[in-house]
Amino acid sequence: MIIGTHSGLDSMNAATTFPTLPSDITLPDWLQECIIEQRSPLVCDSTSPADTTLVCQAFEFAYCLHQGQTRASGEPYIAHPVAVAALLRDLGGSGVMIAAGFLHDVIEDTDVTAEEIEGRFGTEVRRLVEGVTKLSKFNFSSKTERQAENFRRMFLAMAQDIRVIVVKLADRLHNMRTLEHLPDDKRRRIALETREIFAPLANRLGIGRFKWELEDLAFKYLEPDAYRHMQELVADKRIDRETRLEQVAATLRERLGQLGIDCYDISGRPKHLYGIYHKMQRQQKQFQEIYDIAAIRVIVDSNDECYRALAVVHDAFRPIPGRFKDYIGLPKPNRYQSLHTVVIGNAGKPIEVQIRTLEMHRIAEYGIAAHWKYKETGHSSAKLSTDDEKFTWLRQLLEWQSDLKDAQEYLETVKDNLFADDVYVFTPGGDVVVLNQGATPVDFAYRIHTEVGNHCAGARVNERMVTLDTPLKNGDIVEIIRQKNARPSLDWLNFAVTTGARNRIRQWYKRSNRDENILRGRDLLEKELGKSGLDALLKSDPMQTVAERCNYASPEDLIAALGYGEITLNLVVNRLREAVKAKQPIAKPAPTTPASPHAAYSSSAARSHRPAAK
């Protein structure tokens, strides 16, 4: 969003200390106090002078570098890094994260190098700034193969330091807030990318306040008419709705107080617009049929008080059967915890009530950042731990990178995983297993272990024998029956829904039928290239190049994958054509007869791919 470019380094050899505050931008109070009074910039209780110095110097450095640059809105460009740093501060980020917020665009938009960032601000700041810079270059709306590669790189960056994506989310949120200054086509592209990629990532990280605003802003630009209509519907009876909620809240406040249950807060909260709209579309309902447009939130001190408060709610108001969810006993994968129930309110209309502790509320709002915000040091554990349940979904995405060679399949898997609803089932020993909605005993078996899946002969759900294609429901207790001579069936691919299970079924067949797959792959290529062209190519450099480009160690592995259907014939032939063309001399006239294996392939491939006459 930069209009002009200029480097302030010409007159700056070291970070400058402002004698007075800049006059071309209004700084937030916390930053003014940090610069003038040397107060700590952190939300958490930290008196570390190092954080104050780091943040001040990062702002001053960014301010000088971005002088002369403006945004599409016409405001000084430095307003964007300041806003990003403020969002990271509100999340409870450390001095390193706030500094990275100020500096996240300097490598891309100025002449400063990553080495200089490290020299001035340290290795951690460099890693975050460099990581965000790389993410900024990814184009998630590009063609399939390029898009898949961008996803792979992004998840690797997240695994190396999860804070990279949090800085990127703050950057994206502020850009979405100022999107109206861009051309319409660019607005739609960025909004679509936000809805498909960044809002689901914020949700997976549990950062609710980012997720809701990103979704609503994307909704505003992608479906402006529907957005305005939802605004009108929500505003229409807002006063009546708020009155009903306050009556329920007053009743609960009194009843809880009588039992000595102290509440931090009992209040009504509106659902965000896209959440209501999405629910209407998903459930095919009218606005008047959606009962949880607003909800009562009850925040108490302990888990025990959550369940006591639930009893009070159900005693004061009639609960609706089947509408109770216990996310305290079974937290969501993003660590969200709360008790949800729906009751009939004073006016005879359904009202959702959410009950949680203050710590649960912080996690619901800040997700992965909650432990940064409320720990004394304000520092985070950046590395991905294999034992950390918060990142199960990210570990799976990283594992799939090596398993899935086909770009389209990988993309579908990633998006399915980011958006997927979850079902919670139990092993006979009581361990919780989280699977995608619609998962079957086969998915469960492969989630436990590959060998359990490969030798699965049947399943019991809640102590009853079921077929392997039975969809599992929340709370099911699943037991897999294994037999030594049992083997996977290709039919399982028709109902297995998790990528892990589908991958392992394919891998078993690929290993077990390798010779057959190679013959099938050769047949496909022979039909396309001719036998002589194929034999010549199999031992050539272009064939090895194509295999490596498709992430296979040898041409034989590539042909086996082609025979199995892991990669398409069209992709292999196109890649071969490119590789052969790259090997041929540019100015050399075409021979009348094939002079080399490469030429044999070229003439054959040309005949196979000659377009039909129009």
Side-chain angles (χ1 to χ4, degrees), residues 78-139:
I78 191 63
H80 172 62
V82 168
V84 172
L87 286 168
L88 294 169
R89 175 185 179 271
D90 290 344
L91 279 182
S94 65
V96 166
M97 285 190 71
I98 297 171
F102 284 126
L103 300 169
H104 74 274
D105 277 335
V106 299
I107 294 178
E108 186 176 6
D109 295 337
T110 74
D111 296 331
V112 171
T113 63
E115 289 74 21
E116 187 169 358
I117 294 290
E118 182 173 359
R120 289 175 179 269
F121 303 103
T123 305
E124 269 194 286
V125 174
R126 172 191 172 158
R127 185 168 62 234
L128 293 180
V129 173
E130 208 168 20
V132 175
T133 300
K134 289 175 182 176
L135 290 186
S136 299
K137 295 177 180 178
F138 295 168
N139 177 11

Side-chain angles (χ1 to χ4, degrees), residues 240-480:
D240 289 346
R241 189 165 53 249
E242 289 176 353
T243 300
R244 289 200 310 272
L245 290 174
E246 182 49 42
Q247 288 172 350
V248 173
T251 300
L252 293 179
R253 215 174 277 121
E254 180 182 352
R255 297 284 291 270
L256 291 168
Q258 290 172 356
L259 292 178
I261 300 176
D262 293 327
C263 296
Y264 290 99
D265 183 41
I266 300 181
S267 59
R269 56 123 196 130
K271 278 210 167 183
H272 64 298
L273 295 178
Y274 183 71
I276 301 171
Y277 176 75
H278 184 60
K279 193 166 195 175
M280 288 169 59
Q281 299 296 309
R282 190 176 69 246
Q283 299 182 359
Q284 294 294 297
K285 289 184 176 181
Q286 297 297 314
F287 179 79
Q288 294 75 14
E289 299 175 88
I290 304 295
Y291 59 80
D292 54 350
I293 292 165
I296 294 288
R297 181 177 290 152
V298 180
I299 301 178
V300 295
D301 188 56
S302 65
N303 286 23
D304 178 62
E305 289 186 346
C306 286
Y307 291 98
R308 290 175 62 199
L310 176 68
V312 171
V313 172
H314 283 181
D315 185 53
F317 302 98
R318 186 185 299 276
I320 298 178
R323 302 305 302 174
F324 169 66
K325 294 179 181 177
D326 185 350
Y327 292 119
I328 294 178
L330 289 173
K332 291 185 178 183
N334 63 9
R335 301 170 67 217
Y336 176 89
Q337 289 183 289
S338 191
L339 298 178
H340 289 197
T341 188
V342 181
V343 298
I344 302 297
N346 295 332
K349 294 193 175 183
I351 291 179
E352 184 180 54
V353 181
Q354 300 175 356
I355 306 167
R356 61 181 67 150
T357 66
L358 187 60
E359 176 63 19
M360 292 173 193
H361 181 61
R362 289 167 176 165
I363 290 173
E365 292 283 311
Y366 300 101
I368 188 179
H371 71 293
W372 306 335
K373 189 175 181 73
Y374 296 99
K375 282 188 176 179
E376 290 183 1
T377 62
H379 292 288
S380 65
S381 176
K383 293 292 182 183
L384 179 65
S385 166
T386 55
D387 299 324
D388 197 336
E389 287 300 317
K390 295 191 296 292
F391 298 126
T392 299
W393 62 277
L394 180 54
R395 288 203 306 276
Q396 288 171 356
L397 290 173
L398 291 170
E399 289 169 5
W400 293 335
Q401 295 197 30
S402 57
D403 291 339
L404 296 178
K405 307 295 184 183
D406 181 74
Q408 185 63 44
E409 186 178 4
Y410 178 71
L411 281 179
E412 290 171 358
T413 298
V414 167
K415 291 181 179 179
D416 284 348
N417 187 267
L418 288 179
F419 280 106
D421 291 326
D422 298 302
V423 60
Y424 301 83
V425 297
F426 296 91
T427 67
D431 294 325
V432 178
V433 177
V434 183
L435 298 166
N436 291 359
Q437 196 78 37
T440 64
V442 168
D443 298 291
F444 176 89
Y446 278 104
R447 179 61 57 86
I448 298 302
H449 195 277
T450 299
E451 287 305 304
V452 174
N454 286 345
H455 296 288
C456 172
R460 292 189 185 94
V461 175
N462 302 327
E463 299 185 346
R464 296 181 60 184
M465 290 296 298
V466 299
T467 57
L468 291 177
D469 61 352
T470 302
L472 299 176
K473 301 186 295 294
N474 279 321
D476 282 346
I477 300 172
V478 186
E479 179 185 357
I480 299 300

Side-chain angles (χ1 to χ4, degrees), residues 118-263:
E118 182 173 359
R120 289 175 179 269
F121 303 103
T123 305
E124 269 194 286
V125 174
R126 172 191 172 158
R127 185 168 62 234
L128 293 180
V129 173
E130 208 168 20
V132 175
T133 300
K134 289 175 182 176
L135 290 186
S136 299
K137 295 177 180 178
F138 295 168
N139 177 11
F140 293 101
S141 60
S142 61
K143 67 178 184 177
T144 299
E145 289 176 52
R146 181 64 178 164
Q147 190 180 3
E149 185 59 29
N150 287 339
F151 270 115
R152 289 186 170 103
R153 292 178 183 176
M154 180 171 72
F155 294 130
L156 284 173
M158 289 168 64
Q160 290 163 3
D161 193 331
I162 199 70
R163 295 173 299 176
V164 169
I165 195 62
V166 179
V167 177
K168 180 62 184 175
L169 286 171
D171 170 51
R172 175 51 59 103
L173 179 54
H174 184 251
N175 280 333
M176 287 297 295
R177 287 175 177 177
T178 57
L179 204 60
E180 72 269 15
H181 302 290
L182 294 182
D184 183 63
D185 60 332
K186 196 168 184 179
R187 284 203 302 261
R188 290 188 60 81
R189 178 181 63 77
I190 293 172
L192 184 62
E193 184 179 277
T194 297
R195 178 188 286 181
E196 290 194 346
I197 310 300
F198 292 105
L201 277 173
N203 181 51
R204 280 296 185 179
L205 294 174
I207 310 176
R209 53 172 48 197
F210 277 20
K211 179 231 181 191
W212 302 323
E213 189 174 354
L214 287 170
E215 284 184 339
D216 275 357
L217 289 168
F219 182 32
K220 175 181 176 181
Y221 291 106
L222 290 173
E223 300 171 80
D225 293 339
Y227 178 82
R228 283 191 293 272
H229 184 54
M230 290 305 307
Q231 281 184 312
E232 292 166 2
L233 289 172
V234 170
D236 187 32
K237 296 186 177 180
R238 181 176 58 85
I239 295 175
D240 289 346
R241 189 165 53 249
E242 289 176 353
T243 300
R244 289 200 310 272
L245 290 174
E246 182 49 42
Q247 288 172 350
V248 173
T251 300
L252 293 179
R253 215 174 277 121
E254 180 182 352
R255 297 284 291 270
L256 291 168
Q258 290 172 356
L259 292 178
I261 300 176
D262 293 327
C263 296

